[in-house]
């Protein structure tokens, strides 16, 4: 029986990734910091893992994670208040598929989309 999913996406520099997700997006590091090549973060019930890919070209990165929330408007406003840049095509909108969504690009161009059903 499946119980959870923890996406693994690439990062070029662990310190830059930690700075963005922990200090800007409010995640916490979990696990150990002993491994330069791996990072695990968590916020509420959402966990994301990162693997080191130093040669990653951000312009060719298609890493994507979709995170559901139960307060999309509040989350979006908190990002605006913190001056977190949203994706140029990813400001808060209601989509034809019945989701209210917005998105950000992390320092490695992983697309992180937040959504809530309408």
């Amino acid at each position: 029986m499946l119980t959870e999913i923890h996406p693994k996406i690439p990062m070029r520099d662990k310190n830059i990734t930690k700075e963005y997700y922990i200090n800007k997006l409010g995640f916490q590091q979990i696990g150990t910091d002993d491994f330069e090549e791996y990072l695990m973060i968590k916020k509420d019930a959402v966990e994301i893992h990162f693997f080191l890919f130093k040669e990653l070209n951000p312009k060719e990165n298609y890493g994507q994670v979709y995170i559901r929330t139960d307060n999309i408007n509040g989350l979006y406003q908190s990002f605006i208040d913190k001056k977190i840049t949203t994706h140029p095509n990813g400001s808060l909108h209601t989509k034809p598929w019945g989701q209210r969504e917005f998105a950000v690009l992390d320092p490695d161009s992983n697309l992180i989309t937040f959504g809530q059903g309408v």
Side-chain angles (χ1 to χ4, degrees):
M1 177 188 301
L2 303 179
T3 60
E4 297 179 13
I5 186 169
H6 304 295
K8 293 170 64 172
I9 55 178
M11 66 178 173
R12 292 175 293 165
D13 183 302
K14 185 175 181 176
N15 290 325
I16 292 172
T17 300
K18 280 174 60 173
E19 165 69 22
Y20 182 78
Y21 281 91
I22 292 171
N23 295 332
K24 288 194 174 199
L25 301 189
F27 282 78
Q28 296 179 345
Q29 183 173 348
I30 58 173
T32 179
D33 202 30
D34 294 341
F35 301 100
E36 174 192 352
E37 298 184 358
Y38 207 76
L39 173 65
M40 298 183 298
I41 59 167
K42 184 173 185 172
K43 183 174 182 178
D44 301 324
V46 172
E47 190 173 312
I48 304 173
H49 295 203
F50 298 86
F51 61 92
L52 188 63
F53 183 7
K54 289 183 179 182
E55 298 79 27
L56 175 69
N57 179 346
K59 293 181 181 181
E60 296 177 356
N61 184 11
Y62 297 102
Q64 298 183 34
V65 176
Y66 192 101
I67 300 173
R68 295 210 180 267
T69 179
D70 60 4
N71 185 3
I72 193 73
N73 293 325
L75 183 63
Y76 183 73
Q77 188 60 52
S78 74
F79 279 38
I80 297 302
D81 292 346
K82 294 177 190 174
K83 297 182 179 18
I84 297 170
T85 304
T86 58
H87 184 279
N89 297 321
S91 60
L92 185 61
H93 284 91
T94 300
K95 303 297 184 177
W97 46 87
Q99 297 293 309
R100 190 148 170 80
E101 301 176 349
F102 73 94
V104 298
L105 285 173
D106 77 4
D108 297 302
S109 293
N110 291 299
L111 180 68
I112 310 300
T113 303
F114 300 90
Q116 180 178 6
V118 292

